[in-house]
Amino acid sequence: MRPRRAAALAAWVTLLVACVAVIAQTRFTADLSAFLPRTPTAEQQLLVDQLTDGMVSRLLLVAIEGGDAKARADASRALAQRLRADPAFGMVANGEPVHEEHDRKLLYHNRYLLSPAVAPERFTAVGLEAAIGESVALLASPLGMLTKSLLPADPTGEMLALVERFEAGARPAQAEGAWASRDGERALLLVQTRAAGSDMDAQQAAIAAVRSAFEATRHGAAAAGLSLVMSGPGVFAVDARATIRGEVTRLALLSTAIVVTLLLFIYRSLPALVLGLLPVVTGAVAAVAAVSLGFGMVHGITLGFGTTLVGEAVDYAIYLFVQHDPAGEDGHDARPAFWPTIRLGVMTSICGFAALLFSGFPGLAQLGLYSVTGLVVAATTARFVLPALLPSGFRIRDVSPLGRRLQHLVAGAHRLRWPLVALTLAAAAAIHLHRDRVWNHELAALSPVPTTAQALDQALRADLGAPDVRYVVVVSAPDREAALAGAEEVGGRLEPLLGEGVLGGYESPAHYLPSQATQLARRASLPEAGLLATRLADATAGLPLSAERLAPFLAEVEAARRRAPLTREDLEGTSFALAADSLLVRQHGHWSALLPLTAPDGGARAIDAARVRAALATNDGAQAVFVDTKGESDRLYAGYLQEARLLAFAGLAAIVALLALTLRSARRVAGVLTPLAAAVLAVVAGLLLSGVTLTILHLVGLLLIVAVGSNYALFFDRAAGAAGPTPRTLASMLFATLTTVAGFGLLAFSSVPVLQAIGTTVGPGAILALVFSAITASRPAPDLRPS
């Protein structure tokens, strides 16, 4: 063995060992990380925090279907009881009055610390007269029974006001003592996990625990017909991860099986098959290792995309084997003739995919690094390692007869030039007509969640009145007390918007746990017993209620004057603890108070974001950020898309510059690019006419058409001065196209949108690039034309 080849083999083995060592330490994931920005803005960081650790990310929406209302309600109570005993869950609500007694007790004893109406003027004679007058007036209303029992100790109505405040908003319907859907066909539960939404393994375990607990409650004939359905961000994330894993495994196996079968048909040689897969395996291993080193993990989407490179990287071995002939068609080994063309094709691919490395979209940057590394290593292995492993006299079956038939077809392809021009113009016209809907600007277009699952989630969310937290104001502070104080200040700025109809309402952690300063101020508003008695006598002088009947009120106020402010620990055992913890979170070393906003008219109208931002804009006090989570996610994706288009154009410009530098002929550059441009236009028009709007992954697919198709166009360009490509070259190009289509075409049948987008783009695009290259490059061949 020549020293140069020995060195190549040694380097190849070393590379494989090093890559395997890296992969052994690699973390593989299928979570949201591929869709999150690497350098987020403040609003995007808040969005990311909500997606990964926000209160909504930890909610599980659970429904029990089948049976009758009593069976569903009994199962709901049994399931809730089991889940409440499981430490994995922080809250389980199904309409049972589990915390009601504790809640009312806490509200009653701390009503003067919690009520926003408590102020010095409320306890003047005038203020007391007004407040007591309102309570007396309520005696004739449906709330009269409750007001009558509270009146002696709470004549200013603080307790009733607090109850109304916390019970405001949408409430699920009740059936047989448990929450039920509006049509009465489902029993409903709202479950919150303690684990963050980003902890996929914990979310998966929690979902399994709910299912296990449900199965354990199914006793008796009444429960036999019951079934469990679940939804929520955790369910979506876990299902998406399982789908991506399953799809990647299935596609990898199918793609490999098809390519192996095709290669066996071509080579008719098992050693040739094994040798031909070496560049593919080496490229894939090196690509995974490179992504791992570059990003610290490898996403499942990247692996799914990587399976398609089997069809692309195997081309290099096909070109080598099919055109390799020790005797040579002309008495020479054909390797030196095809390698410069392959090298230029690989370099054009690198120009296209290298642009993606600069994307702020981590998923796109991973695809760029994977593609560049995989193609370079696969081509290098085919060029320098594979020849060293070929046994003496190696050759596969002669495919020249097939190649000669292809030559006849190519010779007549020039007749299709005008139809190709017409097709290209028609495609351009179709794109122009649909120019307003070429691109899909919503991140939801990449979601792997089926529409049926999304519909179930919307139905359960509407029945439960669960928050969607599309609009939220976030107040950040160094500690909890500062965050609570900021939430109170921001709440004051939002209050006027309620009266103006800009907002339907808002939540705040300060509603459940006011800051210590606010509580002390409210406590200081309470007058001492002697002064309060004098003012009370004056206030009731004109009311049908004597001051003597309100003696308990004096005792209650005096007790409140001595009561310590509420702390987070005092909320334990009540439903307010979960509410406060959900709205007041500690992340990245600081505290954030979340104030979810409710749209006016029950959500029928959108919130005027400009009015909210104007109300929050101030140079003094707490700094608050208004986040429209859907709008921000769409803006995030739109930014990715715009960036990807700019990068794609930059990659295209680099390809043109490379071809111009290499071919040194504008006519030849145009000859190479024309069929590729026609293929891209035809694919885009086909997608639009079939109702598909393009996503960022379709753009990656268009880049792949250029990358893959450039090899075909360059082969035709290199042979333009002769009678056209040799029969073996044409046969190898056909085989390479078939393996490429087999690899990418399978993705078109994937249920994962990002993989499907690449498949529906590259599969037909690769075929069109080959056919169009043959049409534009062909010349009439007198010796081959039929007489």
Side-chain angles (χ1 to χ4, degrees):
M1 183 179 293
R2 297 175 182 176
R4 186 177 177 183
R5 293 189 172 184
L9 283 176
W12 174 63
V13 172
T14 304
L15 174 68
L16 279 181
V17 172
C19 291
V20 170
V22 172
I23 293 173
Q25 305 296 321
T26 295
R27 180 171 67 90
F28 296 90
T29 181
D31 58 16
L32 288 167
S33 56
F35 303 97
L36 303 181
R38 285 192 290 190
T39 54
T41 63
E43 289 81 2
Q44 289 170 353
Q45 183 60 58
L46 293 172
L47 172 65
V48 171
D49 291 343
Q50 285 302 298
L51 291 173
T52 57
D53 198 24
M55 63 175 180
V56 175
S57 72
R58 290 182 282 155
L59 283 181
L60 299 178
L61 314 181
V62 183
I64 299 173
E65 299 176 333
D68 56 26
K70 184 177 185 307
R72 292 192 295 268
D74 289 342
S76 171
R77 283 186 283 270
L79 176 59
Q81 183 179 11
R82 288 179 176 273
L83 296 182
R84 288 182 184 120
D86 191 330
F89 303 102
M91 180 275 291
V92 179
N94 68 335
E96 291 183 274
V98 178
H99 299 292
E100 187 173 316
E101 182 179 349
H102 292 95
D103 288 354
R104 289 185 177 273
K105 187 176 179 180
L106 182 133
L107 287 181
Y108 184 78
H109 289 298
N110 298 279
R111 60 188 182 279
Y112 296 112
L113 300 176
L114 291 169
S115 174
V118 173
E121 57 271 20
R122 190 170 180 82
F123 293 90
T124 62
V126 175
L128 287 170
E129 182 181 4
I132 295 172
E134 290 179 6
S135 296
V136 171
L138 284 176
L139 291 173
S141 72
L143 295 174
M145 291 299 294
L146 178 60
T147 305
K148 184 177 181 179
S149 63
L150 292 173
L151 191 60
D154 186 25
T156 56
E158 312 303 342
M159 179 64 182
L160 190 58
L162 288 173
V163 170
E164 288 179 340
R165 177 188 221 182
F166 291 124
E167 291 187 351
R171 289 266 174 180
Q174 288 264 351
E176 300 290 339
W179 284 347
S181 58
R182 284 173 290 190
D183 62 5
E185 298 299 320
R186 291 172 176 149
L188 304 174
L189 298 93
L190 191 61
V191 180
Q192 189 168 44
T193 64
R194 293 192 186 278
S198 58
D199 189 343
M200 299 281 287
D201 292 335
Q203 289 292 324
Q204 185 173 11
I207 292 168
V210 173
R211 297 191 189 283
S212 177
F214 175 71
E215 291 301 323
T217 62
R218 298 180 65 188
H219 300 300
L226 301 180
S227 60
L228 184 78
V229 294
M230 299 175 65
S231 186
V235 177
F236 288 164
V238 170
D239 287 349
R241 181 172 70 169
T243 299
I244 291 173
R245 282 179 175 174
E247 288 287 284
V248 169
T249 303
R250 182 175 66 88
L251 291 171
L253 293 175
L254 280 175
S255 176
T256 303
I258 292 175
V259 170
V260 166
T261 303
L262 189 58
L263 292 180
L264 273 177
F265 173 77
I266 298 169
Y267 297 150
R268 307 286 176 90
S269 166
L270 190 58
L273 171 66
V274 174
L275 290 171
L277 291 177
L278 285 184
V280 179
V281 174
T282 308
V285 169
V288 172
V291 173
S292 175
L293 292 174
F295 294 88
M297 57 88 179
V298 180
H299 198 275
I301 295 296
T302 305
L303 290 179
F305 174 80
T307 62
T308 63
L309 286 185
V310 172
E312 167 70 0
V314 80
D315 293 357
Y316 308 133
I318 292 176
Y319 291 128
L320 173 65
F321 292 168
V322 172
Q323 300 186 58
H324 171 75
D325 184 356
E329 290 178 315
D330 300 322
H332 301 286
D333 190 337
R335 273 175 288 162
F338 82 83
W339 175 245
T341 305
I342 293 295
R343 183 175 55 203
L344 184 55
V346 172
M347 291 175 67
T348 58
S349 299
I350 292 174
C351 288
F353 287 113
L356 301 182
L357 293 173
F358 302 98
S359 174
F361 185 4
L364 211 55
Q366 280 202 16
L367 295 187
L369 181 58
Y370 188 102
S371 302
V372 170
T373 306
L375 292 179
V376 169
V377 173
T380 304
T381 303
R383 173 66 180 89
F384 296 105
V385 177
L386 204 50
L389 298 174
L390 296 182
S392 177
F394 172 86
R395 64 184 303 169
I396 62 171
R397 73 186 181 100
D398 186 13
V399 296
S400 297
L402 173 62
R404 282 191 283 273
R405 286 195 289 272
L406 291 175
Q407 264 190 323
H408 282 291
L409 292 175
V410 170
H414 69 282
R415 300 188 184 94
L416 298 176
R417 284 186 176 179
W418 285 112
L420 174 59
V421 172
L423 176 65
T424 304
L425 292 176
I431 296 172
H432 178 73
L433 290 174
H434 295 83
R435 60 187 180 281
D436 294 334
R437 64 171 194 85
V438 172
W439 297 102
N440 191 324
H441 295 277
E442 295 191 0
L443 185 61
L446 303 181
S447 172
V449 180
T451 54
T452 53
Q454 295 180 34
L456 173 65
D457 185 78
Q458 290 180 355
L460 295 181
R461 200 170 291 279
D463 286 337
L464 280 164
D468 60 11
V469 197
R470 170 174 177 174
Y471 305 104
V472 62
V473 175
V474 182
V475 180
S476 298
D479 56 57
R480 180 159 58 186
E481 274 304 302
L484 286 171
E488 290 166 347
E489 183 185 335
V490 170
R493 297 182 218 165
L494 296 176
E495 286 292 339
L497 300 182
L498 300 177
E500 298 170 12
V502 177
L503 297 179
Y506 74 93
E507 275 274 31
S508 172
H511 291 169
Y512 306 95
L513 182 64
S515 68
Q516 294 286 300
T518 295
Q519 293 188 60
L520 292 174
R522 289 172 180 167
R523 193 178 68 176
S525 302
L526 303 176
E528 54 87 17
L531 180 59
L532 180 60
T534 302
R535 292 175 179 177
L536 189 60
D538 294 340
T540 56
L543 296 175
L545 184 66
S546 66
E548 288 74 17
R549 292 187 58 189
L550 301 179
F553 172 55
L554 299 176
E556 289 285 340
V557 171
E558 188 59 26
R561 280 167 44 83
R562 295 184 172 86
R563 185 163 291 123
L566 273 175
T567 64
R568 166 59 187 82
E569 289 70 26
D570 295 325
L571 302 183
E572 286 296 343
T574 71
S575 61
F576 306 134
L578 176 67
D581 291 346
S582 298
L583 299 174
L584 189 65
V585 295
R586 185 177 187 182
Q587 290 175 318
H588 313 301
H590 67 272
W591 288 80
S592 295
L594 310 179
L595 286 77
L597 308 182
T598 303
D601 299 335
R605 289 194 293 124
I607 288 179
D608 186 342
R611 294 284 303 277
V612 176
R613 288 194 172 96
L616 297 177
T618 177
N619 294 326
D620 301 322
Q623 296 301 306
V625 178
F626 170 70
V627 181
D628 175 358
T629 53
K630 182 179 184 305
E632 198 60 44
S633 62
D634 288 344
R635 278 190 291 276
L636 177 66
Y637 174 67
Y640 286 154
L641 186 58
Q642 177 63 16
E643 178 192 67
R645 284 185 292 199
L646 292 176
L647 292 173
F649 280 119
L652 182 61
I655 290 173
V656 173
L658 174 66
L659 292 175
L661 184 66
T662 307
L663 302 179
R664 299 181 182 279
S665 166
R667 183 187 60 78
R668 291 181 64 189
V669 172
V672 171
L673 292 179
T674 297
L676 305 182
V680 168
L681 288 175
V683 169
V684 171
L687 290 171
L688 293 177
L689 292 175
S690 59
V692 177
T693 53
L694 307 189
T695 67
I696 200 167
L697 271 301
H698 287 100
L699 184 62
V700 174
L702 297 178
L703 269 178
L704 272 167
I705 293 176
V706 176
V708 173
S710 63
N711 290 328
Y712 313 145
L714 286 169
F715 269 117
F716 280 105
D717 171 77
R718 295 287 185 182
T726 65
R728 288 182 178 178
T729 300
L730 286 174
S732 62
M733 289 168 63
L734 176 63
F735 296 147
T737 304
L738 292 177
T739 55
T740 300
V741 172
F744 286 104
L746 277 178
L747 296 186
F749 302 98
S750 172
S751 60
V752 180
V754 294
L755 299 179
Q756 187 187 54
I758 295 176
T760 54
T761 305
V762 183
I767 296 176
L768 292 178
L770 175 65
V771 174
F772 291 173
S773 296
I775 292 174
T776 57
S778 66
R779 300 284 188 279
D783 57 326
L784 293 173
R785 284 180 297 178
S787 60

